[in-house]
């Protein structure tokens, strides 16, 4: 059974950093497009944060480019999201997710549902 378990969320002041991790089990990491999306408090809105393809190609949402970095360690396997220069508008529940193609991440704000998803980890950035 596929499991994705996030960790590393928490509270930080504006300008600070956090590193999220996603421990994956139950499948071959290299077969999926892994990534992160977030859901903002009190809203249905979802936003693709970052994703990484099986060939190492990375994708970032416009609002996080230059501040966040996604990486994966296939040996563990673990997906990580380094978040720097955090802003209050980054406050959200962050989810690790995976699916066979990049489409889920590209269309997450339109209601796309990834095949696998973790329970989420809260990130709160105060001003």
């Amino acid at each position: 059974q596929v499991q994705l378990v996030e960790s590393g969320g928490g509270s930080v002041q504006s300008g600070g950093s956090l590193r999220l991790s996603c421990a994956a089990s139950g499948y071959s990491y290299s077969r999926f497009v892994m990534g992160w999306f977030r859901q903002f408090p009190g809203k249905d809105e979802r936003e693709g944060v970052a994703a990484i393809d099986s060939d190492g190609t990375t994708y970032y949402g416009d609002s996080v480019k230059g501040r966040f970095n996604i990486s994966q360690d296939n040996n563990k396997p673990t997906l990580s999201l380094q978040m720097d220069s955090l802003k209050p508008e980054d406050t959200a529940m962050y989810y690790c997710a995976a699916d066979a193609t990049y489409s889920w991440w590209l269309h997450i704000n339109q209601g796309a549902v990834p095949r696998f998803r973790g329970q989420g980890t809260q990130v709160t950035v105060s001003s």
Side-chain angles (χ1 to χ4, degrees), residues 64-123:
V64 307
K65 282 180 183 176
R67 299 188 297 123
F68 290 12
N69 184 70
I70 188 171
S71 61
Q72 68 181 31
D73 182 342
N74 289 334
N75 294 323
K76 289 187 179 180
T78 303
L79 182 74
S80 298
L81 183 69
Q82 178 65 40
M83 306 187 295
D84 298 321
S85 302
L86 283 162
K87 305 175 182 180
E89 50 263 44
D90 293 318
T91 295
M93 184 71 79
Y94 285 71
Y95 296 91
C96 173
D99 207 330
T101 70
Y102 163 62
S103 177
W104 74 266
W105 186 84
L106 188 62
H107 300 293
I108 193 73
N109 61 340
Q110 299 164 30
V113 178
R115 183 176 177 185
F116 305 110
R117 193 202 78 178
Q119 293 300 305
T121 186
Q122 178 68 38
V123 171

Side-chain angles (χ1 to χ4, degrees), residues 2-127:
V2 175
Q3 281 193 317
L4 301 174
V5 180
E6 302 97 336
S7 61
S11 297
V12 65
Q13 288 192 327
S14 182
S17 298
L18 284 173
R19 186 176 181 87
L20 305 184
S21 294
C22 174
S25 62
Y27 66 98
S28 173
Y29 221 60
S30 61
R31 293 170 50 199
F32 290 90
V33 176
M34 305 289 299
W36 298 88
F37 70 92
R38 60 189 180 185
Q39 185 158 357
F40 299 103
K43 300 180 182 179
D44 274 340
E45 177 187 352
R46 292 180 172 185
E47 180 183 50
V49 176
I52 184 165
D53 210 332
S54 56
D55 64 0
T57 302
T58 56
Y59 310 92
Y60 293 95
D62 288 341
S63 62
V64 307
K65 282 180 183 176
R67 299 188 297 123
F68 290 12
N69 184 70
I70 188 171
S71 61
Q72 68 181 31
D73 182 342
N74 289 334
N75 294 323
K76 289 187 179 180
T78 303
L79 182 74
S80 298
L81 183 69
Q82 178 65 40
M83 306 187 295
D84 298 321
S85 302
L86 283 162
K87 305 175 182 180
E89 50 263 44
D90 293 318
T91 295
M93 184 71 79
Y94 285 71
Y95 296 91
C96 173
D99 207 330
T101 70
Y102 163 62
S103 177
W104 74 266
W105 186 84
L106 188 62
H107 300 293
I108 193 73
N109 61 340
Q110 299 164 30
V113 178
R115 183 176 177 185
F116 305 110
R117 193 202 78 178
Q119 293 300 305
T121 186
Q122 178 68 38
V123 171
T124 302
V125 185
S126 58
S127 57

